[in-house]
Structures are given as C-alpha cells and as structure tokens.
Amino acid sequence: MTTLSETLKKNNRNGYSTNRIAQLATARGYKLSQPTVSRYLSGNHPEKPDVEVLKAFSTVLGVSVDILEKAAGVAPTYERFELPAYADKLDQSERKAVVEIVRLMAENKTVESESFHPERSDVALAADEENVGHVRRREYFDALGEESQEVGEV
C-alpha cells in the first residue's frame, strides 16, 4: 500500500468499483483502463505516476490533483490559466481586482489543504476592495458634511 493508493481509496467516497472509475474517466475523455485503476488502488503503480492518470482520478473522485501529486511524491503541475475573451470588457480597476483575487487564491492554495476554503482567505475582501474605497470616500464626504459625487452613491 502506498500513500497515493491510500489517498485514492480515502477519496473514493462513492465506493466506485475499478470498472466504474475507468468508465467514468473514459466518459470524461481520459484513457484509464480498469487494470490501471486496480494497480493504482492496490499500490502497484509506477513510482512516478503519469499526470494524466492522476488528472483522471482527480476528475472522477472529485479530489484536487495537487493532493494526488503530493501523495505520489511528485511536484505539482499547473496548467496556464487564461481569462475568457469577455474579460477584455473589464476596465483597469476591475482587472486589478481580478488579479488581486487570483493572487490571494494562489497564495492560499497549499498542497496540504484538501480543498479551497474561501472562509479561510481574504478573497472576499479583495473582491470588495473597490467598495472599501467608496466607503472611505463616503466617510470623508460625510465628515465634511457634503454629498459624494460618485456614480451609484445613495
């Protein structure tokens, strides 16, 4: 038994059979045979598991590929992330907010955590950064006894 096989078994919360895991992986576009699933679950897998096999297990079992890579003792792999084309419509301050959210999420992402927990991060604060500025300006104008001239201010 290996750490990877134990992790795979622990995360097979639906109790899928080796056949079912292979079927679900294939249905999602991965090449994962029943004998391969059986080898990985029993601990008879390669010392350096194939990343595509780990991605297939990740997809089927709903566990982060980072966790599987850590259990396998391999360095995490990250695919390049690009925003969709409609993000081009964002203005400069909105783009800064998105970048800040991504930065905070990436900083909070650790191999030790089994899933992302927004309640343990400052993501909500980053998303609300622009509103904080509005609140400060509103407080400033309130202190002066004047009304804010910002769009959307009540």
Side-chain angles (χ1 to χ4, degrees), residues 51-52 54-55 65-66 69 74-80 109:
V51 174
E52 287 304 308
L54 295 180
K55 286 180 183 179
V65 84
D66 295 348
E69 288 173 328
V74 297
T77 57
Y78 299 104
E79 295 177 17
R80 184 81 180 137
K109 187 169 186 60

Side-chain angles (χ1 to χ4, degrees), residues 5-147:
S5 62
E6 289 174 7
T7 303
L8 291 170
K9 286 181 177 183
K10 180 182 98 179
N11 285 285
N12 186 5
R13 294 180 185 97
N14 293 315
Y16 293 138
S17 68
T18 56
N19 278 330
R20 187 67 179 145
I21 291 171
Q23 289 170 348
L24 291 170
T26 301
R28 290 176 171 95
Y30 293 97
K31 292 183 180 183
L32 188 63
S33 67
Q34 184 277 332
T36 299
V37 173
S38 181
R39 281 193 301 274
Y40 273 76
L41 291 177
S42 67
N44 295 322
H45 53 78
E47 190 174 320
K48 296 280 185 181
D50 184 89
V51 174
E52 287 304 308
V53 172
L54 295 180
K55 286 180 183 179
F57 276 113
S58 170
T59 301
V60 172
L61 301 178
V63 61
S64 166
V65 84
D66 295 348
I67 291 167
L68 299 181
E69 288 173 328
K70 179 184 181 197
V74 297
T77 57
Y78 299 104
E79 295 177 17
R80 184 81 180 137
F81 175 74
E82 294 184 25
L83 293 173
Y86 54 81
D88 293 344
K89 295 177 184 177
L90 300 176
D91 65 30
Q92 203 59 28
S93 66
E94 293 166 330
R95 290 176 187 203
K96 280 183 177 181
V98 169
V99 169
E100 182 65 9
I101 290 169
V102 171
R103 184 188 67 75
L104 288 168
M105 290 176 79
E107 279 181 5
N108 285 319
K109 187 169 186 60
T110 60
V111 178
E112 290 79 31
S113 69
E114 293 203 2
S115 61
F116 179 68
H117 300 284
E119 68 274 8
R120 288 194 262 161
S121 70
D122 293 329
V123 174
L125 293 175
D128 205 31
E129 186 176 310
E130 281 298 305
N131 291 333
V132 171
H134 292 300
V135 170
R136 287 187 187 132
R137 285 188 288 273
R138 189 176 318 121
E139 290 170 353
Y140 172 78
F141 285 112
D142 287 347
L144 292 175
E146 299 177 13
E147 289 185 27

